[in-house]
Amino acid sequence: MNNVRKTAVKAARPAKKSTVPAKEEPVGTRLQKILADAGIASRRKAEELILEGRVHVNGEIVTELGTRADAAKDHIRVDGKLLQGPQEHRYFMVNKPRGYVTTMSDPERRDTVVDLLKESARLSGKKLDTRLYPVGRLDYNSEGLLLMTNDGDLANSLSKAANSVEKTYLVKVAGRPTGEALEQLRSGVMIDRGRLAETRGNRRDRVLTAPAKVELARGGENPWYEVTLTEGRNRQLRKMFEEIGHHVEKIRRIGYGALVLDIPTGEFRELTQGEVQALGRAAAGKKVERKHKLPEAARLKQPGQKTGSRGARPRF
């Protein structure tokens, strides 16, 4: 009985308060995010602006990347110009032709996807006043579906989720791979990590690719394959086929998450609210469904019919 009473008394005693001070939540938003949301630059470029001393908060130069601010209360200036607050988020699908680089600017002075959008807007007589950034990359000689947005959070989420978001391509190769070689691609093949011919120490840095879906799309001496990846390594498709002894001649991306390419070469369109939500689900690692019937832009052209190229004029 005494033991029961002692237990009851012990249980009734108030718990001791912790003497460890509660960790304070950081106040405000990181400055580079505020700049990106305002459409000034990408987060990476915004970090460069801060480090270069080109950003003022309430009259003081800020050069530390960890600095936080309140966009609604603080006066933030970049090169003397006062920020006007965050831009409305917008999302676009672009059908990139070959011959454009997927960057904001190019040191070699090649045309960029930003140039492509500006030219499209000019030819249509429409004004595109939102600074957009590409999500991921399509290399110079590749074409097809590219996402562009000013929503840095979604772009970062999609980039981090590159190993779970399905991306589908049409790939033309030189010569006919054997069934055994294709099975290697489906199971995973060792390729060089990073850029082509990049080495670390005395041996090449190699990585095993994740399993891929590989289906014949059109036969012939130089066949086309439909390939679906859940990775986004540098020049991955070209490296994969080179590992089995076949040079890649053409690459066209036709699917990204639930999105399917449905606009002609050189054109772009704004995504619907449902498409944006589907991208959010894909970024969160949730399963999304694509259209089963492919639009014309996502299908192979008839033999002799040209696909997108550098000479294609952008238009709406």
Side-chain angles (χ1 to χ4, degrees):
M1 187 72 175
N2 288 338
N3 289 339
V4 174
R5 186 176 298 132
K6 287 179 180 178
T7 302
V9 171
K10 185 176 181 181
R13 290 175 183 169
K16 291 183 178 180
K17 293 184 177 180
S18 173
T19 57
V20 179
K23 188 176 180 180
E24 293 185 4
E25 291 293 327
V27 178
T29 305
R30 287 184 179 273
L31 198 52
Q32 56 264 43
K33 183 178 186 304
I34 293 176
L35 299 186
D37 288 344
I40 299 299
S42 66
R43 286 198 195 185
R44 183 174 296 180
K45 183 62 179 178
E47 290 176 354
E48 294 177 12
L49 295 175
I50 294 169
L51 292 173
E52 291 168 1
R54 296 165 60 183
V55 181
H56 291 69
V57 178
N58 298 328
E60 299 289 332
I61 297 177
V62 175
T63 57
E64 292 187 12
L65 296 182
T67 302
R68 292 175 178 268
D70 186 335
K73 297 179 180 178
D74 295 319
H75 291 272
I76 303 171
R77 294 179 181 271
V78 179
D79 294 334
K81 185 177 180 179
L82 184 67
L83 261 64
Q84 300 300 317
Q87 288 187 328
E88 177 188 4
H89 286 157
R90 300 182 71 183
Y91 312 83
F92 292 84
M93 175 194 294
V94 183
N95 188 344
K96 182 187 101 63
R98 296 192 300 275
Y100 288 85
V101 289
T102 313
T103 56
M104 299 301 292
S105 60
D106 182 59
E108 298 179 30
R109 299 183 178 275
R110 294 173 295 180
D111 287 333
T112 70
V113 290
V114 177
D115 297 323
L116 173 68
L117 296 187
K118 288 180 179 178
E119 180 68 1
S120 293
R122 185 188 69 79
L123 291 174
S124 68
K126 295 182 180 180
K127 184 178 180 181
L128 186 65
D129 56 0
T130 303
R131 188 178 176 88
L132 301 169
Y133 307 93
V135 178
R137 289 177 182 268
L138 278 176
D139 67 37
Y140 184 78
N141 288 316
S142 297
E143 60 186 75
L145 196 161
L146 179 69
L147 297 176
M148 297 192 72
T149 182
N150 61 348
D151 185 343
D153 289 337
L154 180 60
N156 287 335
S157 296
L158 287 169
S159 297
K160 290 177 181 177
N163 288 345
S164 61
V165 180
E166 287 192 345
K167 295 165 284 291
T168 301
Y169 304 82
L170 291 173
V171 184
K172 183 181 182 182
V173 300
R176 298 179 180 179
T178 64
E180 182 180 356
L182 293 175
E183 282 303 318
Q184 284 184 269
L185 299 184
R186 294 184 180 110
S187 301
V189 63
M190 296 296 293
I191 63 172
D192 289 339
R193 189 195 299 270
R195 298 190 178 278
L196 290 173
E198 189 175 74
T199 60
R200 291 186 183 181
N202 294 323
R203 67 176 186 176
R204 295 157 74 184
D205 188 15
R206 306 273 280 173
V207 63
L208 180 67
T209 61
K213 298 177 185 176
V214 183
E215 300 295 336
L216 180 66
R218 176 186 293 165
E221 292 300 322
N222 300 308
W224 285 84
Y225 291 91
E226 183 178 299
V227 183
T228 299
L229 305 178
T230 54
E231 296 180 299
R233 301 185 183 278
N234 178 265
R235 297 175 66 85
Q236 181 170 341
L237 283 168
R238 299 183 189 277
K239 293 178 183 178
M240 287 170 60
F241 278 95
E242 284 169 5
E243 285 295 326
I244 63 170
H246 292 270
H247 174 71
V248 170
E249 296 186 342
K250 294 180 180 180
I251 295 176
R252 176 151 51 109
R253 183 156 65 193
I254 61 170
Y256 189 105
L259 298 180
V260 178
L261 186 65
D262 60 5
I263 50 177
T265 301
E267 297 190 15
F268 67 95
R269 70 167 177 84
E270 197 151 6
L271 300 184
T272 66
Q273 183 177 356
E275 289 172 330
V276 175
Q277 291 173 346
L279 284 175
R281 291 196 298 272
K286 298 178 181 178
K287 187 174 179 59
V288 294
E289 294 291 336
R290 286 185 187 157
K291 297 176 182 177
H292 294 291
K293 185 176 180 180
L294 291 179
E296 183 179 351
R299 300 178 201 160
L300 279 175
K301 304 295 183 183
Q302 295 299 320
Q305 187 178 1
K306 292 183 179 180
T307 58
S309 66
R310 180 64 184 84
R313 299 300 298 170
R315 67 192 194 286
F316 277 89

